[in-house]
Amino acid sequence: DLVTVTGIPVISDAGGTRLDTISMLSIVSYYNPLPEAHILSTGIVGNSALGTIAAEQWNGCIVTYRNVTIESANADGDYNWGESFCKDTSLGNHTKITWSDGRTGLFAGPNAVAVHKGDKFYSITGILEYTHTNYKLCPRNNNDIVGYIPTGV
């Protein structure tokens, strides 16, 4: 559905961005196809702080990264929250992929992911979100993952 929402935006803490007070909600049309994904580079999102315009404008949108390499299978240090650092060929910082929120075969349970450092992808599509102090791309299902090449293949 296509809806128009008007309200007061609030940049919150690690929980992300929300509308604090909704003053109007109207349905414009029903049963529309999903919009096309926005092609972004990992360097645009990087490890931006909450509210950074370059990244925030895509928060909640369908985004695609192309020519992605896993730089670290476990982005969370001592505990594995199901997130990896990835980078494409652009300049700038790597960014996070969260495997644990979607329904992909690359999340291997509460303490593991099925990707490894050096794994490559032609593209990864998902919803760009902000949680726990990071922007992250969350693939929705296996169809969002194209051209997966495991390390050593």
Side-chain angles (χ1 to χ4, degrees):
D1 297 341
L2 176 61
V3 299
T4 300
V5 181
T6 305
I8 300 170
V10 173
I11 305 284
S12 66
D13 56 17
T17 305
R18 68 179 193 278
L19 287 177
D20 189 50
T21 306
I22 296 176
S23 56
M24 185 177 85
L25 176 93
S26 59
I27 298 172
V28 177
S29 60
Y30 295 95
Y31 306 111
N32 300 301
L34 285 175
E36 292 294 319
H38 300 278
I39 309 298
L40 294 185
S41 69
T42 58
I44 288 175
V45 176
N47 55 8
S48 300
L50 179 61
T52 303
I53 298 299
E56 183 62 32
Q57 66 182 326
W58 305 109
N59 192 0
C61 293
I62 302 172
V63 168
T64 296
Y65 296 148
R66 289 187 175 157
N67 300 313
V68 174
T69 301
I70 299 297
E71 287 193 324
S72 173
N74 178 11
D76 301 304
D78 292 336
Y79 188 82
N80 190 330
W81 295 99
E83 299 171 347
S84 302
F85 280 124
C86 72
K87 180 126 178 41
D88 60 17
T89 57
S90 68
L91 297 176
N93 292 315
H94 57 214
T95 193
K96 283 190 173 185
I97 299 281
T98 181
W99 307 109
S100 59
D101 292 349
R103 295 184 197 119
T104 73
L106 297 176
F107 179 58
N111 297 311
V113 294
V115 297
H116 300 90
K117 181 177 180 175
D119 287 0
K120 298 185 181 304
F121 300 84
Y122 173 75
S123 69
I124 302 174
T125 299
I127 305 296
L128 188 68
E129 60 186 8
Y130 186 92
T131 61
H132 301 95
T133 69
N134 291 279
Y135 287 97
K136 305 166 189 177
L137 186 66
C138 179
R140 298 161 294 175
N141 56 48
N142 287 329
N143 294 328
D144 281 344
I145 299 165
V146 178
Y148 175 47
I149 303 170
T151 306
V153 175

